[in-house]
Amino acid sequence: MKEKRYAIVLDTRRCIDCKACTVACKAENNVPIGNETYRNWVTEDPLRGTYPHLGQSFAPSQCNQCENPPCNSVCPTSATGITAGGIVTVNPDKCIGCKYCMLACPYDARYYNEETGVIDKCTFCIQRIVVGGIPACVETCPTKVRVFGDLNDPSSEVSMLLAKNKHRVLKPEMGTKPYLFYLI
Amino acid sequence: MARLIDKKLSRRRFLGTSGCALAVATVGAQTTVLKALADSGEVTTSKMGGTKDVFTACGMCVNKCGVIARVRDGRIHKLDPNPEYIKSRGMLCARGNAGVKVVYDPDRLKYPLIRSGKRGEGKWRRASWDEALDLVAKNMNEIAEKYTRAGVMFASTEGTFQEHFFLQMAECFGSPNTVRHPSLCLSSNIQGFSATYGTFPTPDVLNADYIIMAGANRSEALITPDSIDQLKGDGGRRKLIYLDPRFTKTAAKADEWFPIKPGSDMAFVLAMINVIVGEGRYAKDFVEKMTVGFDMLVPHVKQYTPEWAAVECEIPAEDIKRIAREFAKAAPKAVFYPGRRSSFADDDVQLRRAMAILNAVVGNWDTEGGLVPNSHIPLQNHDYLAPWYDGVPLRIDNGSAAFLSEKDGSWTAMRDRILEEKPYPVKGMMIYKQNVLMSVPNRAKTMKMMDQMDFICTIDIAMSDTAWYSDVVLPEATYLERQDPLESIGGILPVVAFRQPCIEPLFESKPNLWIMQNLAKRLSSDIADTFDFTMDDYIHHQVEKNPKILKDLKSKGVHYMKVEPSYGLTKGKRLRTKTGKIEIYSENYVKKGLDPMPVYKRHAGVPTGKFRLIVGRNAYFTHGTTANNAYLHDLMPENALWLNTQSAKKMGLRDGQMVKVKSNVGEGTLKLEVTDKIRPDCVYMAHGFGVISKGQSLIYGVGACDAALIEEKLEPISGNVAMHQTFVDVSPA
């Protein structure tokens, strides 16, 4: 069997900024409550136009699970690693909380966990994947913005979505090769 | 208002100051798994153990979505959506996910409390259940003795499956004075549609090609499945037209948004009817067979031209015409969505009538993509024989509205009569879950009413403002700790919902049934006899005729009969109206001296220098009950006053400064949010802040309370309050 390569495809046109994903993630992953501690988030894009001709979209994001993660190369203790399926992880025993990886990440996807003293970030809910589940944010999303799956499987929903739709990644110029894909 | 974007932007700044920390890690189950995975570099089996999954139903708002509680070692770790639950499309929102923090909230009520200082002073002493219930029963009996049994009022609200027991207590104790949330919410909406169709239908949002929502902010005021289904048309199949004085997240998702002048929605609807009828675009066969009064409607709407409506509602006549034509063309897969911001104005029933009539003239009834009468899955009633008492008068708000609901009453009408002590005194308040100081407009008046009470008892899970102003506070077990009766939820695809305990009740909290039973024993043997059953008896009685229901609930957490909607079941049959048809013209209304068809009356304009205060919901909070939830508070820690950019500029006010808002009935201080997302003549604030209770530690002292500002204008047909008829001054604080 071919190795898996996990990805999330997002259709932000469906996002209503209800933040179900953020709360689901916090509860699932014991993410501390308080400023700046998020494994995933939704931001409001700036309001377009002037009253009464207005438009606005919402931008959900999280760790991009890069194929080429800059956080990995800067880590002085090799705490950051990449598991099978391409998931970027942090080993809490090796992490010294120096935050170099936070600075290196172009997606601002890592935070310092005051409670554990280590850096934390989205892992696609690896603990759920290993028992056959899907990430909490994907499962809970009321409008099904996010779809999770294996891009090495051409019949997976993520593969089909990318085959059928135009899409983009964030900051392609950084050469990070993200595995978070946004439908256009 | 703090937005996530602000927080994200500041993360880098935060890096600069905190340096490198070498802290001792508290390794939980989560990190153990990660460690194993990181060490090996491979995905291996989970190290998590002791997991029990429990099917239950969410209790965070009115939707009752299906939930699976993941319980580890006796603690609820996570609430996940139940994929089998069709009403919520197998999904769960932020509030649903935040339910774990309801159980493990350090602020939650833990044991019975008896007031030891002055009322509202916040001095309490811990009491045993015996002592607290003895005191409640003693006071109830004393008030009954002195003022008749109607002297105790019972206030409660929706969302808990145990409200039934509280209402049974009211009936068996012998008080007609029950008051519930509808007259603060959708009673006018239900009245308007029911007067037309004989029932309150559900819009088939999933299959509609054209939807008009007026104030129904479904991206934020979440209603399942509508909030989910409204998005399905992305890609061009479905069109959403949205009218709202605010640019909400629904506006962001709509094809067209119009910042309609508050109170003028009826002009827009009547003009649409004018175009559709005048241009012969109505459903002729349908109108002939299924409706009465169309002949009277034609001359009635002649006056309501799009040009006239454009002046009233500030939406161009050309747009009104075009929308009317598009709507008629898409019909019957076109819905003017029936609801439901709380009553906008004091003619709300007639606005809803106009909306119902518009849907009717295009043949939008009991059809795919249209308005569909609700189906229900029948459950057996658990009957009881209420004791009969002499000399109990009619409900105190009797006659205060043309069509008053016997069970729900009219909140503000009842409050006025209690304050006047006319026609009789009411001196006791029993409150279950309703936070009346937060939800009933004109908070000062509610407080005055409470001051006048001899005794107030509140049953809740948190120290709400209302509990704070009570004499006895009884802690209820939360929805995740209780076995509740089965709940049949009507809709296009009806379900039976199931709520079972995921963990034992924490502290000394008890389910409402236990509280009612133990109170009943202290009141009289007659009342106690009516509560002589267990929850198990009750549930088995409910499914007596269909045991499969319980089997389904135990195996998949939900029971449903079908997964595909049925349409047209009422076609060719009598509707539940007097004429058996859709009543465009209402004889019933004529008999009550009301307009048989909606007549537009212009509302008072905004006085110079003032603003109209408008209300609305967001996706993070349910009324006043969730702002103190740690997860949700994290998303939105305070409310702010929205003010249009141009208006702020004229007044020299800047974004983020503190402002004082003042109405005829109250005032509040909160932060200003200068934004283009609101009409220049309106201001808005989120509900749920400005609390009085120090028992809500996260939000005490933060923001302002809309209920303190809103005046209680009564909608005379339904007894609903008109939430959008308050004008306020805004000045620097």
Side-chain angles (χ1 to χ4, degrees):
Chain A
M1 202 172 70
K2 205 173 173 189
E3 198 175 301
K4 291 183 191 304
R5 198 356 165 152
Y6 295 115
I8 286 183
V9 176
L10 299 98
D11 184 353
T12 58
R13 293 169 303 180
R14 305 179 73 89
C15 181
I16 54 173
D17 191 24
C18 73
K19 296 195 179 15
C21 50
T22 303
V23 179
C25 175
K26 285 215 163 190
E28 172 66 31
N29 297 300
N30 305 316
V31 176
I33 294 169
N35 289 353
E36 298 160 41
T37 57
Y38 297 98
R39 280 184 169 208
N40 73 12
W41 60 88
V42 187
T43 52
E44 296 176 14
D45 284 346
L47 200 59
R48 298 187 297 269
T50 49
Y51 179 90
H53 307 288
L54 301 173
Q56 191 170 33
S57 45
F58 310 107
S61 198
Q62 61 208 71
C63 171
N64 279 241
Q65 309 293 355
C66 309
E67 192 175 310
N68 237 342
C71 55
N72 191 27
S73 44
V74 300
C75 179
T77 62
S78 302
T80 287
I82 302 171
T83 70
I87 299 170
V88 179
T89 56
V90 185
N91 181 338
D93 284 353
K94 286 188 185 171
C95 177
I96 55 169
C98 73
K99 302 178 182 169
Y100 287 159
C101 57
M102 284 174 69
L103 287 168
C105 174
Y107 307 106
D108 220 359
R110 294 177 163 234
Y111 74 94
Y112 177 72
N113 187 328
E114 297 276 356
E115 288 171 15
T116 58
V118 298
I119 304 299
D120 189 39
K121 65 173 234 5
C122 162
T123 62
F124 278 169
C125 287
I126 202 165
Q127 71 283 4
R128 293 166 70 106
I129 297 172
V130 295
V131 292
I134 58 173
C137 59
V138 176
E139 184 178 15
T140 213
C141 176
T143 57
K144 213 165 183 289
V145 171
R146 291 167 160 88
V147 177
F148 171 81
D150 176 15
L151 271 188
N152 284 345
D153 172 3
S155 67
S156 68
E157 198 181 349
V158 281
S159 296
M160 307 234 268
L161 276 171
L162 293 188
K164 277 187 206 151
N165 296 282
K166 283 190 181 171
H167 50 86
R168 67 187 183 102
V169 294
L170 301 179
K171 301 185 182 175
E173 69 281 5
M174 303 298 287
T176 53
K177 297 202 177 160
Y179 273 72
L180 227 58
F181 297 92
Y182 291 82
L183 300 186
I184 300 169
Chain B
M1 191 179 301
R3 295 192 194 92
L4 269 171
I5 195 163
D6 303 323
K7 293 177 182 173
K8 293 300 296 174
L9 287 174
S10 61
R11 186 179 282 177
R12 283 178 189 278
R13 286 199 292 279
F14 165 76
L15 279 178
T17 54
S18 58
C20 295
L22 187 69
V24 179
T26 316
V27 181
Q30 188 61 35
T31 39
T32 315
V33 179
L34 289 183
K35 177 175 172 291
L37 292 164
D39 278 346
S40 65
E42 278 178 17
V43 175
T44 54
T45 51
S46 172
K47 296 262 163 71
M48 298 184 307
T51 299
K52 179 179 77 160
D53 294 342
V54 186
F55 290 116
T56 193
C58 188
M60 296 296 281
C61 78
V62 302
N63 287 297
K64 300 130 184 157
C65 299
V67 165
I68 301 173
R70 315 288 184 191
V71 183
R72 272 186 216 158
D73 304 324
R75 195 180 160 89
I76 302 168
H77 163 69
K78 174 78 174 67
L79 300 171
D80 280 330
N82 180 349
E84 288 277 346
Y85 206 90
I86 45 176
K87 182 177 182 285
S88 47
R89 308 283 185 246
M91 310 293 184
L92 195 62
C93 77
R95 294 171 300 186
N97 274 283
V100 277
K101 286 286 184 219
V102 171
V103 178
Y104 306 112
D105 178 1
D107 281 349
R108 80 176 267 194
L109 296 170
K110 300 175 182 72
Y111 28 73
L113 294 169
I114 293 175
R115 176 168 65 81
S116 58
K118 274 188 243 156
R119 199 179 273 162
E121 197 181 20
K123 287 187 180 156
W124 303 95
R125 65 181 177 82
R126 179 175 177 170
S128 68
W129 273 103
D130 277 339
E131 187 193 4
L133 288 172
D134 284 348
L135 185 61
V136 176
K138 177 175 163 278
N139 276 281
M140 285 173 76
N141 278 334
E142 276 176 12
I143 291 166
E145 190 74 20
K146 213 165 155 190
Y147 305 103
T148 82
R149 290 175 176 271
V152 180
M153 67 176 282
F154 290 75
S156 61
T157 192
E158 221 269 350
T160 163
F161 300 164
Q162 299 214 12
E163 189 192 7
H164 178 81
F165 303 127
F166 184 75
L167 293 169
Q168 178 181 336
M169 171 59 82
E171 189 185 350
C172 295
F173 177 72
S175 173
N177 288 321
T178 53
V179 66
R180 302 177 66 251
H181 66 286
S183 64
L184 308 169
C185 186
L186 75 168
S187 63
S188 48
N189 202 358
I190 291 174
Q191 170 56 224
F193 274 83
S194 301
T196 316
Y197 295 109
T199 185
F200 185 66
T202 294
D204 185 14
V205 173
L206 183 67
N207 296 303
D209 290 338
Y210 202 94
I211 304 169
I212 305 177
M213 289 183 174
N217 177 15
R218 279 294 161 269
S219 293
E220 297 182 86
L222 302 179
I223 292 287
T224 57
D226 299 0
S227 298
I228 299 171
D229 291 345
Q230 64 164 343
L231 270 296
K232 71 108 196 172
D234 281 355
R237 276 215 316 121
R238 187 270 290 119
K239 194 159 185 179
L240 175 62
I241 306 289
Y242 181 63
L243 315 177
D244 195 315
R246 279 197 304 142
F247 183 86
T248 63
K249 284 165 189 171
T250 308
K253 293 290 148 187
D255 296 273
E256 295 177 37
W257 167 62
F258 296 96
I260 190 167
K261 190 164 97 189
S264 71
D265 301 60
M266 200 200 295
F268 182 88
V269 179
L270 291 171
M272 278 187 72
I273 301 175
N274 169 293
V275 173
I276 289 167
V277 169
E279 297 181 358
R281 295 172 191 270
Y282 62 98
K284 296 178 185 71
D285 267 10
F286 178 88
V287 164
E288 197 176 303
K289 283 184 193 139
M290 293 287 291
T291 70
V292 291
F294 184 76
D295 293 351
M296 264 90 83
L297 180 72
V298 177
H300 177 69
V301 295
K302 276 228 166 86
Q303 55 188 315
Y304 301 126
T305 64
E307 288 73 19
W308 161 83
V311 176
E312 292 300 321
C313 59
E314 299 178 6
I315 295 175
E318 281 312 307
D319 286 320
I320 300 174
K321 278 184 220 169
R322 176 180 50 81
I323 290 167
R325 289 167 189 154
E326 287 173 356
F327 185 77
K329 196 176 171 205
K333 291 180 112 178
V335 175
F336 201 111
Y337 189 89
R340 68 168 190 193
R341 183 171 289 170
S342 294
S343 185
F344 290 94
D346 55 15
D347 58 356
D348 201 61
V349 169
Q350 293 289 12
L351 165 63
R352 307 300 165 176
R353 280 270 293 146
M355 287 160 60
I357 291 166
L358 169 63
N359 280 306
V361 297
V362 296
N364 181 1
W365 176 253
D366 205 355
T367 179
E368 185 178 0
L371 294 179
V372 183
N374 286 338
S375 318
H376 293 273
I377 297 169
L379 295 174
Q380 282 289 102
N381 282 331
H382 189 92
D383 291 326
Y384 53 87
L385 206 58
W388 190 256
Y389 306 97
D390 287 333
V392 178
L394 292 173
R395 38 178 320 131
I396 192 167
D397 53 353
N398 187 49
S400 61
F403 294 98
L404 191 70
S405 159
E406 259 312 298
K407 190 167 80 169
D408 303 339
S410 169
W411 233 114
T412 56
M414 181 181 273
R415 185 177 63 188
D416 282 347
R417 300 250 176 114
I418 290 172
L419 280 165
E420 292 165 14
E421 301 201 6
K422 278 178 188 163
Y424 54 82
V426 171
K427 292 291 182 183
M429 272 181 104
M430 293 294 295
I431 304 158
Y432 176 41
K433 196 183 173 264
Q434 197 177 34
N435 187 0
V436 302
L437 282 172
M438 184 60 84
S439 56
V440 186
N442 195 344
R443 182 168 76 181
K445 210 171 182 180
T446 312
M447 238 182 241
K448 210 170 144 197
M449 181 188 81
M450 291 176 83
D451 285 344
Q452 198 179 284
M453 293 288 162
D454 289 351
F455 181 72
I456 305 169
C457 168
T458 295
I459 302 161
D460 209 324
I461 56 171
M463 188 61 93
S464 69
D465 284 357
T466 308
W468 187 255
Y469 261 78
S470 302
D471 304 317
V472 172
V473 178
L474 304 177
E476 200 196 8
T478 68
Y479 70 99
L480 294 165
E481 300 163 319
R482 305 192 303 247
Q483 177 67 62
D484 278 1
L486 312 184
E487 184 86 358
S488 177
I489 303 169
I492 297 178
L493 292 173
V495 295
V496 178
F498 190 42
R499 192 176 279 156
Q500 53 181 342
C502 309
I503 55 166
E504 289 293 307
L506 294 184
F507 313 110
E508 291 178 19
S509 64
K510 299 284 184 190
N512 187 275
L513 177 59
W514 184 94
I515 300 171
M516 292 302 115
Q517 285 173 326
N518 285 278
L519 179 58
K521 280 180 207 160
R522 287 163 167 85
L523 287 168
S524 78
S525 59
D526 282 354
I527 303 173
D529 284 350
T530 71
F531 281 100
D532 186 19
F533 57 87
T534 65
M535 187 62 85
D536 216 37
D537 294 342
Y538 192 94
I539 289 173
H540 280 96
H541 192 195
Q542 285 185 298
V543 298
E544 208 171 56
K545 293 198 171 156
N546 187 359
K548 184 175 182 296
I549 293 176
L550 196 56
K551 219 176 128 201
D552 277 357
L553 292 171
K554 284 184 174 163
S555 63
K556 59 181 182 184
V558 60
H559 169 80
Y560 42 80
M561 298 183 299
K562 52 180 186 174
V563 291
E564 291 297 329
S566 317
Y567 303 107
L569 298 178
T570 62
K571 293 275 171 72
K573 293 190 184 142
R574 278 185 65 87
L575 300 182
R576 282 181 287 174
T577 56
K578 200 179 165 201
T579 58
K581 296 194 172 189
I582 297 170
E583 299 194 342
I584 292 173
Y585 184 96
S586 173
E587 286 287 353
N588 278 348
Y589 275 33
V590 176
K591 277 188 201 146
K592 293 260 186 184
L594 306 168
D595 291 328
M597 289 179 294
V599 174
Y600 183 78
K601 295 180 184 93
R602 183 183 291 181
H603 289 282
V606 183
T608 313
K610 288 183 188 265
F611 298 91
R612 187 187 297 273
L613 176 63
I614 57 174
V615 298
R617 299 285 167 254
N618 62 55
Y620 321 133
F621 300 141
T622 306
H623 306 299
T625 61
T626 52
N628 198 56
N629 177 297
Y631 278 137
L632 301 172
H633 174 262
D634 191 41
L635 299 173
M636 187 172 156
E638 63 184 308
N639 65 352
L641 187 79
W642 286 26
L643 179 66
N644 180 279
T645 313
Q646 291 308 318
S647 310
K649 206 170 161 187
K650 267 187 219 156
M651 297 169 74
L653 297 172
R654 59 177 202 287
D655 189 53
Q657 83 175 93
M658 297 300 286
V659 289
K660 193 166 97 176
V661 187
K662 200 171 176 303
S663 76
N664 285 335
V665 298
E667 61 179 63
T669 304
L670 77 174
K671 209 179 260 179
L672 189 72
E673 181 169 343
V674 175
T675 174
D676 273 356
K677 293 199 231 181
I678 190 165
R679 281 174 61 92
D681 57 357
C682 295
V683 289
Y684 158 81
M685 69 177 76
H687 188 67
F689 293 89
V691 299
I692 303 164
S693 165
K694 291 181 184 167
Q696 298 189 282
S697 58
L698 295 176
I699 52 171
Y700 176 71
V702 177
C705 172
D706 55 353
L709 293 158
I710 301 170
E711 295 169 43
E712 72 284 21
K713 300 276 165 61
L714 198 71
E715 199 289 323
I717 304 178
S718 62
N720 211 340
V721 277
M723 295 283 195
H724 278 184
Q725 286 182 215
T726 300
F727 302 114
V728 294
D729 289 303
V730 179
S731 56

